[in-house]
Amino acid sequence: MRVICSYCRTVIRDAPGAAATDVSHGMCRACDAYFERLWGGMRLGEYLDLLPKPVLVVDADGRVVAGNARLAQALGRSGHELRGLLGGEAMACVHSRLPEGCGKTVHCRECTIRRAVTKVSETQRPIANAPAWLKTDAGRVDLSISARPLEDFVEVTIEEMRPAA
């Protein structure tokens, strides 16, 4: 697999014989150092609020550690309300209100968001633009999500959020 920097596009690792389409993304040392200097000392919430899309950071169990203002606005909640909730609770998934709770219902086994968080947490490999959906009181919401490891957490970005047709 060939790994390229998401920011400057330099090759970080290149496996001999890998297919041209077998590409993943990461961050090279130079870009990592640049962003460390740029964002050094910035609180996580401040950093997340600079991102252009709704983002939440969860632990390996799917519990929200932080979310940005765009996510809070999209969900009609404040950032403080989201902190500590399980992902499905934060995103108003109707299945999270079942007696078993978020992450423990029969529906959760097929939840793309939960599976992405678990996979990224276990493998430390990002997932990009996974099609997903969420069942809310307002109906089905189609999503496209990306997830990436962030130290001991997983950063989930909602690339697109729209009501199902």
Side-chain angles (χ1 to χ4, degrees):
M1 174 171 294
R2 186 169 154 185
V3 180
I4 61 172
C5 179
S6 296
Y7 300 95
C8 70
R9 304 287 190 223
T10 61
V11 175
I12 300 169
R13 280 190 314 274
D14 200 1
T21 57
D22 201 10
V23 175
S24 183
H25 294 83
M27 188 182 300
C28 71
R29 289 183 186 194
C31 288
D32 185 48
Y34 168 76
F35 284 108
E36 179 62 31
R37 282 191 311 276
L38 183 64
W39 305 118
M42 184 177 281
R43 296 178 58 195
L44 178 60
E46 291 174 291
Y47 165 73
L48 293 176
D49 284 343
L50 293 174
L51 300 176
K53 296 180 181 178
V55 176
L56 72 152
V57 176
V58 297
D59 64 16
D61 295 324
R63 192 161 301 279
V64 176
V65 175
N68 69 0
R70 283 178 179 75
L71 176 73
Q73 181 182 14
L75 299 177
R77 304 174 104 164
S78 75
H80 294 316
E81 288 179 282
L82 300 175
R83 197 171 305 130
L85 296 177
L86 289 167
E89 296 167 339
M91 296 184 73
C93 173
V94 296
H95 303 301
S96 70
R97 295 193 305 264
L98 293 174
E100 300 94 327
C102 181
K104 299 192 176 31
T105 75
V106 65
H107 308 283
C108 301
R109 287 187 297 222
E110 300 303 317
C111 177
T112 302
I113 301 167
R114 177 159 288 279
R115 288 192 338 230
V117 167
T118 301
K119 186 172 184 177
V120 169
S121 182
E122 290 172 355
T123 66
Q124 294 296 296
R125 291 190 164 163
I127 294 172
N129 301 316
W133 60 273
L134 184 67
K135 186 173 180 185
T136 68
D137 288 335
R140 179 177 156 146
V141 178
D142 290 329
L143 308 168
S144 175
I145 63 155
S146 294
R148 70 179 185 99
L150 182 67
E151 295 185 17
D152 293 332
F153 304 108
V154 176
E155 180 185 291
V156 179
T157 302
I158 300 172
E159 301 291 336
E160 186 174 359
M161 179 186 270
R162 65 189 182 294

